[in-house]
Amino acid sequence: GAGVSQSPRYKVAKRGQDVALRCDPISGHVSLFWYQQALGQGPEFLTYFQNEAQLDKSGLPSDRFFAERPEGSVSTLKIQRTQQEDSAVYLCASSPWTGDWSQPQHFGDGTRLSIL
Amino acid sequence: SQQGEEDPQALSIQEGENATMNCSYKTSINNLQWYRQNSGRGLVHLILIRSNEREKHSGRLRVTLDTSKKSSSLLITASRAADTASYFCATVIQGAQKLVFGQGTRLTINP
């Protein structure tokens, strides 16, 4: 079956522009996560949705970052007034919800964002 | 900030040899997971070990967990060129609803 799909795969923007990154999770997966991965580092948690509810946004670096999942499926991560330090790979992951945190997460291939 | 530290940061071995990677973490966990990431791709789940387990096997993978030392190891036996990738440990911290990743080990298998 189809895995987690992210678009675009690459995004180049000028500093100060707004960007929107899309994630299509695996159909039926309740949980959806966004991570930021700097070059040579592990992913860092940004935010978590259970269906349409954003239950944890503690990892969002600033109020310029905003995520939504209005219908409980597709999610969009928006970054306003981009800065050079926003350059990274943004990964989306989804998993079924079983009431505990033992389910593996299924990752998309990410969006590589470069801010000039 | 990241919870885990992997050791070594990079490892290069010959095909057929075994590869061992270690992960240390700081706080009490519910479980620990290992993921693989090929260059330019997303992460792929390899294996999960719960906090009450000490060892787990899956194919050529063997994972151990020592909660008293807050450490885990991943052993890949009979390595293949296709095992070349970065490997990350990730913990689910008690009371937190998220995975916390280490910085990863870059494994290179030389043919």
Side-chain angles (χ1 to χ4, degrees), chain B residues 8 23 32 35 68 77 87 97 99 102:
Chain B
C23 166
L32 186 144
Y35 286 80
S68 66
T77 60
Y87 291 81
Q97 298 175 347
L99 281 177

Side-chain angles (χ1 to χ4, degrees), chain A residues 43-61:
Chain A
E44 292 211 18
F45 171 83
L46 294 177
T47 187
Y48 160 63
F49 289 86
Q50 193 168 117
N51 295 307
E52 68 278 5
Q54 189 175 20
L55 298 187
D56 187 343
K57 54 182 181 179
S58 61
L60 295 176

Side-chain angles (χ1 to χ4, degrees), chain A residues 14-49:
Chain A
K14 293 182 179 178
R15 188 174 52 152
Q17 289 183 330
D18 298 348
V19 298
L21 313 180
R22 177 187 170 105
C23 173
D24 267 286
I26 293 173
S27 178
H29 277 191
V30 168
S31 299
L32 185 145
F33 305 82
W34 283 98
Y35 295 87
Q36 181 189 59
Q37 186 176 24
L39 187 64
Q41 300 294 316
E44 292 211 18
F45 171 83
L46 294 177
T47 187
Y48 160 63
F49 289 86

Side-chain angles (χ1 to χ4, degrees), chain A residues 9 33 35 37 40-45 48 55-56 58 91 100-109 112, chain B residues 1-2 30-31 33 35 37 40-45 48 50 88 92 96-99 101-104 106:
Chain A
R9 286 280 282 127
F33 305 82
Y35 295 87
Q37 186 176 24
Q41 300 294 316
E44 292 211 18
F45 171 83
Y48 160 63
L55 298 187
D56 187 343
S58 61
L91 294 166
D100 67 19
W101 295 95
S102 62
Q103 284 297 316
Q105 295 183 16
H106 302 261
F107 282 80
D109 285 338
R112 183 176 297 276
Chain B
S1 62
Q2 294 181 313
N30 286 326
N31 65 64
Q33 304 178 29
Y35 286 80
Q37 185 177 35
R41 304 297 300 273
L43 283 78
V44 174
H45 180 264
L48 178 150
R50 297 179 185 271
F88 296 91
V92 178
Q97 298 175 347
K98 58 189 177 185
L99 281 177
F101 287 87
Q103 64 189 12
R106 294 186 306 280

